[in-house]
Amino acid sequence: MNRKLLLSAFFMLAISFGFSQTKEELQAQKAEKQAEADKLQGEADAIQAQIDALPGWRVGAFGTIGGSLSNFKNWYAQGAPNNNSGNIGITVNGYANLIEDKFFWRNALTTNLNWVKLDNTDTDLDSDEFNPTTDVFNLSSLYGRKLSEKWAISGLMEYRTTLLDNFNDPGYLDLGFGATWTPIENLIVVIHPANYNFVFSSGDTVFDSSFGAKIVADYTRSFGAINLKTNFSTFQSYKSSDLSNWTWTNSFSYTLWKMIGVGFDFALRSNQQEAANFQGVDLEDADNDLQSYYTIGLSYKF
């Protein structure tokens, strides 16, 4: 009996040892294959970097989609027990850049649209429609002739307005020329001391066009699963500081599966003319509080 127990224990130990060896061997094989895969991925990334450096078009887009829908019926714990509510938002960051040996042509589109609905079904005094809350549209085109690897003589067109409400009222069109500096890859700095800021609006408003300087700094990069874009744009009027404005937009996304991931957008802006128009006061009397927005949701990439 004891002999049988000893033999059984021996066989169990032998089987366990055999499985242990198999697991260690598999882990070693996995490590070898992973090292080979990492080496091949590095070579593929190096080839892709050479492809990206070739002259020609670079086209792409990424953004964020967020939203929620809800319906409450006889939910007496809240002030409006019967209501329908929802929030839908989308951002788009697109670019189409032509890079050649002697010149470049960079085009960019940034938009952020958001709708909100809060319908109390117990009353007819509110709206049952989705109403726009965030409404941003920015289109720019920069052309430059290279003087060196980092400097170019350039001309810029930038147009900003809203799409869902009060289209082109106001609308801002910047046209100017000067120099563009590219200190590092993916960072573009535009310095245009000769720029005219056209402001479009209807009726008798505080909005006014003027001549001034335009400065833009843009950094756009994709590395691995991360997509990043930050853009700072300012117009400094030579006529009056009250006619100056600046906007800083930021977009970040992380791809989790194929082209879907999570995204975050936020922006800051200062504009004395918009503040005065909204408050219905003279330009110099406006309380120019800092404007901001942010969006969090699913992200996509093309």
Side-chain angles (χ1 to χ4, degrees):
M1 187 71 174
N2 292 334
R3 185 178 179 182
K4 290 182 178 180
L5 289 174
L6 289 173
L7 287 173
S8 298
F10 175 78
F11 281 124
M12 291 179 65
L13 289 172
I15 292 172
S16 299
F17 182 71
F19 278 124
S20 176
Q21 282 186 318
T22 302
K23 181 179 180 181
E24 291 175 354
E25 290 173 354
L26 290 173
Q27 288 178 334
Q29 292 177 13
K30 178 185 176 183
E32 292 178 0
K33 298 298 183 182
Q34 187 63 54
E36 294 176 1
D38 292 342
K39 180 181 178 181
L40 292 174
Q41 185 62 52
E43 294 176 355
D45 291 342
I47 294 174
Q48 185 61 51
Q50 294 178 1
I51 294 174
D52 293 339
L54 294 174
W57 283 97
R58 284 97 159 138
V59 180
F62 70 95
T64 303
I65 300 175
S68 65
L69 297 173
S70 63
N71 176 275
F72 289 89
K73 186 174 182 179
N74 300 326
W75 197 263
Y76 298 115
Q78 60 189 18
N82 302 293
N83 72 77
N84 298 313
S85 63
N87 180 288
I88 302 173
I90 181 172
T91 67
V92 178
N93 298 282
Y95 63 89
N97 301 330
L98 176 60
I99 309 299
E100 297 290 346
D101 293 334
K102 295 183 179 181
F103 71 92
F104 58 79
W105 183 25
R106 298 178 177 272
N107 304 278
L109 169 67
T110 299
T111 184
N112 186 318
L113 306 176
N114 196 81
W115 298 262
V116 171
K117 171 184 177 181
L118 179 56
D119 175 28
N120 185 347
T121 58
D122 292 329
T123 177
D124 295 329
L125 300 179
D126 61 1
S127 173
D128 60 355
E129 303 292 334
F130 279 90
N131 298 306
T133 54
T134 304
D135 192 356
V136 177
F137 179 83
N138 188 303
L139 179 66
S140 66
S141 183
L142 175 68
Y143 178 84
R145 299 290 298 185
K146 295 181 180 180
L147 301 175
S148 65
E149 189 66 24
K150 296 183 181 298
W151 286 95
I153 298 296
S154 57
L156 172 70
M157 182 283 295
E158 184 181 75
Y159 177 67
R160 306 182 310 283
T161 187
T162 56
L163 292 178
L164 305 177
D165 192 18
N166 299 326
F167 175 73
N168 203 41
D169 187 18
Y172 304 88
L173 175 63
D174 281 294
L175 294 176
F177 66 92
T180 294
W181 178 41
T182 311
I184 60 174
E185 187 178 4
N186 303 312
L187 175 60
I188 307 298
V189 180
V190 178
I191 308 167
H192 287 180
N195 184 94
Y196 199 83
N197 178 239
F198 296 90
V199 184
F200 309 102
S201 64
S202 61
D204 185 15
T205 65
V206 297
F207 294 103
D208 192 13
S209 303
S210 64
F211 186 71
K214 183 73 173 181
I215 299 175
V216 178
D218 183 277
Y219 184 79
T220 304
R221 186 181 180 187
S222 297
F223 45 98
I226 297 175
N227 298 287
L228 173 68
K229 179 181 177 63
T230 180
N231 180 282
F232 178 82
S233 176
T234 180
F235 170 73
Q236 296 298 313
S237 175
Y238 296 148
K239 182 178 180 180
S240 170
S241 61
D242 289 339
L243 302 178
S244 302
N245 62 78
W246 61 265
T247 303
W248 182 34
T249 59
N250 301 269
S251 297
F252 172 85
S253 69
Y254 184 83
T255 303
L256 298 174
W257 178 73
K258 293 187 177 180
M259 294 184 179
I260 305 299
V262 292
F264 174 66
D265 294 78
F266 78 94
L268 302 174
R269 178 159 68 185
S270 175
N271 192 311
Q272 183 86 2
Q273 296 181 86
E274 290 178 348
N277 181 66
F278 179 79
Q279 297 165 18
V281 299
D282 293 335
L283 188 61
E284 61 274 9
D285 296 330
D287 186 7
N288 187 23
D289 295 329
L290 184 65
Q291 305 175 47
S292 66
Y293 73 76
Y294 71 86
T295 302
I296 301 175
L298 294 176
S299 67
Y300 61 89
K301 177 185 177 182
F302 299 111

